Amino acid sequence: MEPRFAEVDRLDCRLVSHRWTFAEEQAARIDAHWAARLARTPSMYDGPVLLARKAALETEAGARVLRVEAFETRFSRFLAWRDFGWPDASVYNFFAMPALRSSDGAWLVGEMGQAHSAAGQRYFPGGTPDPGDVTATGEVDLYGSLARELAEETGLPAQEGVAAQGWTVIFDRQRVACLRRIDWPAPAAAIRERVRRFLDAEAEPELAAVHMLASGRHDDPRLPAFMTAFLARAAETG
């Protein structure tokens, strides 16, 4: 199934209560899977993360909105669901990422380090939201999550770039990638060098490497489908 695109004006994401039947019914299998993964990558932490029981496009007062109902689960539950091939299709892995574009037209992509659950994969900086992204009113601050992940992974403060008004949402099987373009006032080589210095100074960097990719077709198995689809579409839309 090809990834599906939607341009939206805003995201409306709220935390709700949800009983995840998959996690309850498959608890023993999930725990065994977690033990095996932890044996390979002892630094992984079974902390709380947010998944979605709903991710739907709606129109409100003439604006295009992605409405998300998020619920809390443990990372081990999310990881097993992902590694088992997303057996519960009523749930979504949603996340926000900066599509950071250099002044000469390249896109900042990080390569996950060996301690990451997706080691070697290449993505825009980002991660699955967690309870720290939830405001006092129950809203999940996805732009705040995006900015935090960008700073943690690359050392780049989001406010140095110019963010687009809306979001590009990509539905890729059970992934819902919410991408916000950020135009950066520096060429690709300068961005790469700045991030490389940040990674070199970190005791345990999240990224193994940083890459600046051109728009167009990329036949790289380390790029998930939503990333290859975005880069191909960017070559068409500019």
Side-chain angles (χ1 to χ4, degrees):
M1 181 183 298
E2 290 294 321
R4 179 168 57 95
F5 285 79
E7 302 296 332
V8 304
D9 299 295
R10 63 184 178 88
L11 308 176
D12 181 1
C13 181
R14 300 193 175 275
L15 185 66
V16 301
S17 177
H18 180 62
R19 183 175 178 179
W20 195 13
T21 305
F22 163 79
E24 295 179 356
E25 294 179 347
Q26 298 291 321
R29 185 183 177 205
I30 291 170
D31 288 343
H33 176 266
W34 175 250
R37 290 298 304 265
L38 201 59
R40 298 201 304 268
T41 313
S43 60
M44 288 198 303
Y45 170 60
D46 193 14
V49 295
L50 304 182
L51 298 179
R53 71 172 189 181
K54 172 186 175 182
L57 297 170
E58 300 179 8
T59 301
E60 183 179 285
R64 188 78 159 156
V65 180
L66 176 71
R67 207 171 305 280
V68 178
E69 292 182 355
F71 68 94
E72 183 178 324
T73 189
R74 286 162 50 196
F75 180 70
S76 59
R77 274 52 190 153
F78 157 67
L79 186 64
W81 171 72
R82 188 197 73 182
D83 290 355
F84 294 168
W86 299 303
D88 181 358
S90 70
V91 168
Y92 302 91
N93 173 210
F94 76 102
F95 46 87
M97 289 179 162
L100 192 153
R101 188 174 186 268
S102 69
S103 59
D104 51 357
W107 303 93
L108 172 66
V109 173
E111 183 173 323
M112 299 298 104
Q114 289 304 306
H116 196 276
S117 63
Q121 293 291 295
R122 296 181 174 186
Y123 302 90
F124 292 133
T128 302
D130 61 47
D133 297 313
V134 181
T135 69
T137 60
E139 179 184 2
V140 182
D141 180 7
L142 287 174
Y143 189 78
S145 174
L146 173 158
R148 173 176 54 79
E149 293 284 353
L150 178 64
E152 289 178 357
E153 293 187 11
T154 70
L156 299 177
Q159 63 268 25
E160 286 189 18
V162 178
Q165 291 298 309
W167 296 78
T168 297
V169 179
I170 308 177
F171 297 89
D172 176 17
R173 294 189 64 187
Q174 298 312 115
R175 290 189 178 110
V176 181
C178 303
L179 308 182
R180 188 84 167 261
R181 175 168 166 168
I182 299 180
D183 288 307
W184 206 261
I191 296 171
R192 184 192 301 110
E193 178 59 21
R194 181 175 173 181
V195 176
R196 187 193 63 77
R197 289 198 305 268
F198 170 80
L199 297 179
D200 287 346
E202 290 283 283
E204 296 180 353
E206 291 190 50
L207 302 181
V210 61
H211 307 277
M212 302 299 299
L213 301 185
S215 299
R217 183 176 177 85
H218 290 267
D219 295 318
D220 185 341
R222 293 169 295 186
L223 291 166
F226 76 88
M227 287 292 302
T228 56
F230 178 89
L231 293 169
R233 187 171 183 255
E236 301 171 0
T237 59

